[in-house]
Amino acid sequence: MVDLRSDTVTKPTDEMRQLIATAKVGDDVLGDDPTIIALQNMISELLDKEAALFVPSGTMSNAIAIRTHTKPGDEIITESTSHIYIYEGGGYAALSGCSVALVPGKLGIMTPEDVEKAIRKSDGSLGHFPNGSLVCVENTSNRGGGTCYSQENLDAIAKVAHENDCAVHMDGARLFNAAIATGTNPARIVRDYDSISICLSKGLGSPVGSLLVGSSEFIAQAHRWRKMFGGGMRQAGVIAAAGIYALEHNISRLDEDHKRANKLAIAINEMDMFSVNIEGVQTNMVYIEINGDLNANQVVEKLAEHDVHVLALGDNLLRAVTHIHITDEDINKSINAFKTISS
Ligand code: TLP
């Protein structure tokens, strides 16, 4: 089975399972799980920030970040196709009491000018406006196609946010894909960001877990919100061990996923029935538009007959994502399956 539905489908490899089996654990709610402490220290060092918090998921990590940075009645500013807006159940509203100002993006990427335009302040508005207090930037942008922000743009957005008394959070679920694709040190990418969420359970191949990273003060407050959201985990060193393995072994290999996604994108784009915006294929994702009579669900079913699995994300839109289990052979098999349907 070639499973291109998401990079979240990855399963721990034998080497990773070995570390899971032998991990030293403690009670992390009491603060004494040595493996979690080691993982949190590792990511803080990697991103050159003071502290980090291990959490169950990327969604919870973003939710905790939003709750920590804002007050009920505030507004968050984010791109119109961001995960925080589309795929997190409206958590910013339900869990943080925030409204959202949406910024249009090109392939999911915002400009600092558009971010500035979207920031509304309660002060000076006769109380008409909510208080924009947090800018959220997704890098890579999932719905943008797995696209990367330029460093100049990231720095400028952080500057605009801070000049307008907003904190700036990065949903870096796939930050390391961005780092590898742009050849930039991850610490440099997030230098001006107040908090960063990274996912261990996507391209990095861990079974569970995300990390929220920031200043010691921010993480101390986030720790309290993690408790209230029910995200405190006890002997979770068993999954943190997988995270340590992932950070040590699975970052540099992301380049292979990017090359395979590129090959798949170019081949599919040559077929009459499908088109891919190649400009948007910068990391491990391929968004495919269907031009023929079949809709996305029908194409998904036909591909499944060839044991190739992708996600339908709209009437005419498919997504294929490469990851650690996808080989060159799998890419060839997928190209052939698409060809059969297209012909
Ligand atoms: N993305 C998943 C789905 O939820 C859409 C996927 O298959 O791509 N930020 C970004 C940018 C994400 O893409 C995701 C997951 C998350 C946050 C949430 O992570 P989890 O699934 O751990 O809550």
Side-chain angles (χ1 to χ4, degrees), residues 5-9 55-62 81-84 86-88 137-143 171-174 197-202 207-210 285 287 311 313 319 321:
R5 290 172 303 160
S6 181
D7 47 8
T8 58
V9 302
V55 295
S57 69
T59 301
M60 189 187 282
S61 194
N62 284 332
T81 64
S82 64
H83 196 276
I84 284 176
I86 296 193
Y87 292 122
E88 296 185 6
V137 177
E138 186 174 308
N139 191 28
T140 65
S141 159
N142 177 346
R143 285 302 296 252
D171 177 357
R174 298 182 180 83
S197 168
I198 73 125
C199 289
L200 298 162
S201 63
K202 304 205 162 55
V208 192
S210 288
M285 295 189 170
Y287 278 85
L311 272 190
L313 287 177
R319 187 187 73 168
V321 185

Side-chain angles (χ1 to χ4, degrees), residues 7 20 32 53 74 76 89 96 114-115 129 136 140 142 179 189 218 232 244 257 300 304 324 333:
D7 47 8
I20 291 173
D32 58 17
L53 193 63
D74 280 2
I76 64 166
S96 294
D114 285 340
V115 170
F129 293 160
C136 299
T140 65
N142 177 346
I189 296 181
F218 169 81
I244 291 178
D257 299 344
V300 166
I324 195 162
K333 184 173 164 178

Side-chain angles (χ1 to χ4, degrees), residues 307-322:
D307 231 4
V308 172
H309 300 269
V310 301
L311 272 190
L313 287 177
D315 289 349
N316 300 304
L317 188 65
L318 303 170
R319 187 187 73 168
V321 185
T322 55

Side-chain angles (χ1 to χ4, degrees), residues 29 64 222-232 234:
V29 173
I64 294 172
H223 187 270
R224 181 161 174 254
W225 287 112
R226 185 185 72 173
K227 172 72 194 181
M228 285 190 269
F229 287 162
R234 302 284 178 179

Side-chain angles (χ1 to χ4, degrees), residues 148-214:
C148 307
Y149 275 82
S150 71
Q151 194 59 53
E152 198 186 0
N153 198 358
L154 284 177
D155 293 352
I157 289 173
K159 187 162 180 268
V160 151
H162 291 146
E163 280 170 359
N164 287 279
D165 287 328
C166 290
V168 63
H169 169 70
M170 184 180 290
D171 177 357
R174 298 182 180 83
L175 173 70
F176 292 105
N177 293 84
I180 292 292
T182 60
T184 315
N185 183 321
R188 174 64 190 91
I189 296 181
V190 304
R191 186 191 68 187
D192 299 342
Y193 282 69
D194 301 305
S195 59
I196 307 100
S197 168
I198 73 125
C199 289
L200 298 162
S201 63
K202 304 205 162 55
L204 296 184
S206 238
V208 192
S210 288
L211 288 155
L212 182 60
V213 193

